[in-house]
Amino acid sequence: MNARVTVRRGDGLILPLDHAQWDRRSVAEIAADAGEADPVWIRIANFHRRPLEVLKHLPAGARVLWKLEFSGYAADCPLVPASRGIDPHEYIEEVLSLPHHVVPYTFLDWNRDELLRLYPALRKRPLHVIPIAQKRPVARIGRQAIRAMYGIPAGGFVYGAGGNELHPGKRVGEVVEGFLETCTDPNAHLLCTLVPRESATAAARWPAAAAAHPRVHVRVGEYHEWAWMTGFYRAVDVLLANSVSDSWGRMVAEAAGAGVPVVVRRARCGTNLLAPDLAITDSLRDFTSEGFVQAVKDAQAAAPALRAFFERNYRTEAVVQRLLAVTDGELPPELARRTRLLAEDRVDYERVAEVLTY
């Protein structure tokens, strides 16, 4: 990957430095580039080595938003994303010892509680909660267009699934296997939308496997394809989220916020904690089990209230106002006033929310 930190003076409210991990320039060059911008905040994430090295090169007093993700307790998945060889305990001490104004935040109260329990050094600063914002609907592609694209009859019942392809925490393959083994209804279909995580060969395996099963349909896409995802949520009747490792659960939130019934696998991760009354089941491996059938009914009944909940609590404006409340409390009055004026005068709220959470 040949990502670069590209900035312009006065480019916005927040400058993300996450992709410094893959930038081929030296740390000093990245820091010099960042120093030419005039962001109110610089954003780093998790426990990654290179963004920390960039921070060390920045002048004292930099204002740093530190996004911390806690992914859950699934086997074979990290509790927190981190660079190889990083000890989070030492990393925390190093970040908090910088001569900068560092403000940590995470997505859920549960994430915060678990992070503080695992890493007590984080108690040296307030660990704030700023959730992920819902994206605005896009009308470019709809329910019938996607169904027609995959030859799904208009009256068919469509389950949806997806996530990072082959990610050990998403367990999309389990949903496909369960559907093929237990769902015998000829009118039921499974539509998966996946993001490639490994090689092109690995990405090709999914469509090839789906070709052998006429009721399974797979699309391999890319990140940030919001026009497609909007149509995907419209096309399915129930979204099945089998993830056991998530700090938030973006597909769950987006689907529920669009009014789609969602069934979530019970797991010690963020997907179970996004909203009250989510339909949670112990397994998505048997589509005919009593527990699964009841969870689908519960999801359908809960969908209207969940849509209202996500609109009320996680709309873009609400999330950015949460950020501004944090800056009001964290900064000296004059800097807090400047931050709010910048946001109100010229900042694209959608962009701010995306920089906060990606």
Side-chain angles (χ1 to χ4, degrees):
M1 184 177 295
N2 188 24
R4 288 174 62 92
V5 179
T6 55
V7 296
R8 297 187 301 275
R9 183 172 295 279
D11 195 38
L13 186 67
I14 303 169
L15 171 66
L17 288 180
D18 289 11
H19 46 302
Q21 297 171 79
W22 304 290
D23 198 312
R24 293 181 179 178
R25 294 173 297 167
S26 70
V27 166
E29 289 174 316
I30 298 170
D33 192 8
E36 288 298 310
D38 186 26
V40 174
W41 294 98
I42 290 168
R43 205 285 310 276
I44 64 168
N46 301 310
F47 300 93
H48 295 307
R49 173 53 61 191
R50 210 144 186 259
L52 173 57
E53 296 302 322
V54 173
L55 291 186
K56 290 179 181 179
H57 280 70
L58 295 175
R63 294 176 294 281
V64 180
L65 287 167
W66 185 15
K67 182 189 77 171
L68 290 166
E69 296 188 56
F70 180 83
S71 298
Y73 287 98
D76 304 322
C77 297
L79 294 176
V80 295
S83 294
R84 187 183 300 275
I86 287 291
D87 179 347
H89 294 277
E90 295 177 3
Y91 192 102
I92 289 165
E93 296 289 352
E94 200 163 7
V95 170
L96 297 184
S97 68
L98 292 170
H100 302 322
H101 188 84
V102 179
V103 178
Y105 72 96
T106 188
F107 299 144
L108 290 167
D109 289 315
W110 180 77
N111 293 345
R112 175 171 59 186
D113 292 344
E114 295 304 304
L115 285 164
L116 291 175
R117 188 181 64 79
L118 286 171
Y119 311 120
L122 284 171
R123 297 182 185 275
K124 294 179 180 179
R125 307 279 172 88
L127 178 53
H128 298 278
V129 175
I130 303 176
I132 291 182
Q134 293 289 86
K135 300 182 184 71
R136 298 184 192 279
V138 178
R140 286 174 51 191
I141 188 167
R143 178 182 177 90
Q144 296 307 324
I146 288 182
R147 288 179 171 228
M149 187 184 305
Y150 291 98
I152 301 172
F157 189 92
V158 180
Y159 297 102
N164 283 356
E165 179 227 6
L166 302 183
H167 187 291
K170 305 306 179 186
R171 310 288 171 88
V172 181
E174 287 185 3
V175 178
V176 177
E177 291 170 4
F179 179 84
L180 291 174
E181 292 172 4
T182 66
C183 186
T184 58
D185 182 353
N187 294 314
H189 293 253
L190 178 64
L191 177 61
C192 298
T193 186
L194 301 166
V195 175
R197 186 170 181 264
E198 297 187 354
S199 67
T201 302
R205 285 204 300 265
W206 283 91
H213 303 285
R215 293 188 296 121
V216 176
H217 316 277
V218 176
R219 180 182 188 271
V220 178
E222 301 291 341
Y223 277 115
H224 302 287
E225 292 186 309
W226 182 230
W228 162 262
M229 291 307 296
T230 297
F232 170 75
Y233 296 133
R234 291 174 180 150
V236 305
D237 295 293
V238 176
L239 183 81
L240 307 177
N242 199 39
S243 178
V244 296
S245 176
D246 261 318
S247 58
W248 178 258
R250 200 180 301 268
M251 287 185 70
V252 174
E254 290 172 351
V260 179
V262 177
V263 175
V264 179
R265 173 181 174 161
R266 192 179 309 282
R268 295 177 68 194
C269 71
T271 53
N272 286 191
L273 301 153
L274 291 176
D277 300 323
L278 274 174
I280 299 175
T281 187
D282 289 321
S283 172
L284 294 174
R285 295 295 299 267
D286 186 349
F287 282 51
T288 61
S289 71
E290 182 178 347
F292 176 83
V293 172
Q294 185 59 51
V296 170
K297 293 178 181 177
D298 292 343
Q300 292 168 328
L306 283 176
R307 180 174 191 167
F309 177 88
F310 278 93
E311 169 60 24
R312 183 170 62 253
N313 292 283
Y314 299 138
R315 69 184 187 279
T316 297
E317 294 82 1
V319 170
V320 174
Q321 288 302 321
R322 189 86 167 258
L323 166 68
L324 293 176
V326 168
T327 63
D328 286 349
E330 289 280 354
L331 289 177
E334 181 56 31
L335 281 177
R337 186 183 70 83
R338 179 181 174 228
T339 301
R340 188 165 284 278
L341 285 174
L342 281 172
E344 292 170 352
D345 286 350
R346 75 167 197 265
V347 171
D348 180 344
Y349 275 22
E350 295 279 351
R351 179 176 179 275
V352 170
E354 184 160 319
V355 168
L356 269 177
T357 55
Y358 267 95

